[in-house]
């Protein structure tokens, strides 16, 4: 859970996340192998796909915002729910 909370915080702060970031600090502070050390190969791939989906949604939201549609205050809630759903 701590690793995924770190992912949520990173995306909330930066807007998107390149998957390779999960193999660097602060993620390696949780496990020295980062994502692979916490989840292993199969579940790690699922987390990467989840992050890529969040990035795509962020790009769509940014395009909508630039087009004048405004932004959603539910973005962090969406990320939180998507990651929690992944854990089930």
């Amino acid at each position: 859970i701590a690793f995924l909370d770190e992912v949520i915080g990173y995306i909330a702060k930066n807007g998107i996340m390149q998957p390779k970031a999960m193999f660097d600090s602060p993620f390696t502070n949780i496990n020295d192998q980062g994502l692979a050390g916490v989840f292993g190969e199969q579940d790690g791939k699922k987390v990467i796909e989840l992050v890529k989906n969040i990035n795509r949604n962020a790009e769509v939201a940014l395009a909508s915002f630039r087009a004048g549609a405004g932004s959603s205050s539910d973005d962090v809630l969406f990320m939180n729910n998507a990651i929690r759903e992944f854990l089930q």
Side-chain angles (χ1 to χ4, degrees):
I1 299 287
F3 191 93
L4 294 176
D5 285 341
E6 194 71 43
V7 169
I8 292 168
Y10 185 99
I11 294 172
K13 179 180 178 187
N14 298 293
I16 62 168
M17 168 187 270
Q18 297 302 319
K20 67 181 181 178
M22 292 183 281
F23 294 92
D24 295 326
S25 181
F27 303 98
T28 53
N29 296 340
I30 296 168
N31 183 291
D32 63 348
Q33 295 179 356
L35 175 69
V38 174
F39 290 101
E41 185 177 346
Q42 185 175 3
D43 285 340
K45 287 179 181 180
K46 291 178 184 177
V47 173
I48 289 171
E49 282 306 309
L50 177 64
V51 167
K52 287 180 178 180
N53 286 335
I54 290 169
N55 288 345
R56 282 190 287 274
N57 288 339
E59 290 169 4
V60 169
L62 180 59
S64 294
F65 180 76
R66 287 183 177 158
S71 64
S72 171
S73 62
D74 296 329
D75 290 341
V76 173
L77 181 60
F78 165 78
M79 288 186 293
N80 213 340
N81 288 338
I83 290 173
R84 303 286 181 229
E85 184 176 310
F86 164 79
L87 289 174
Q88 295 179 350

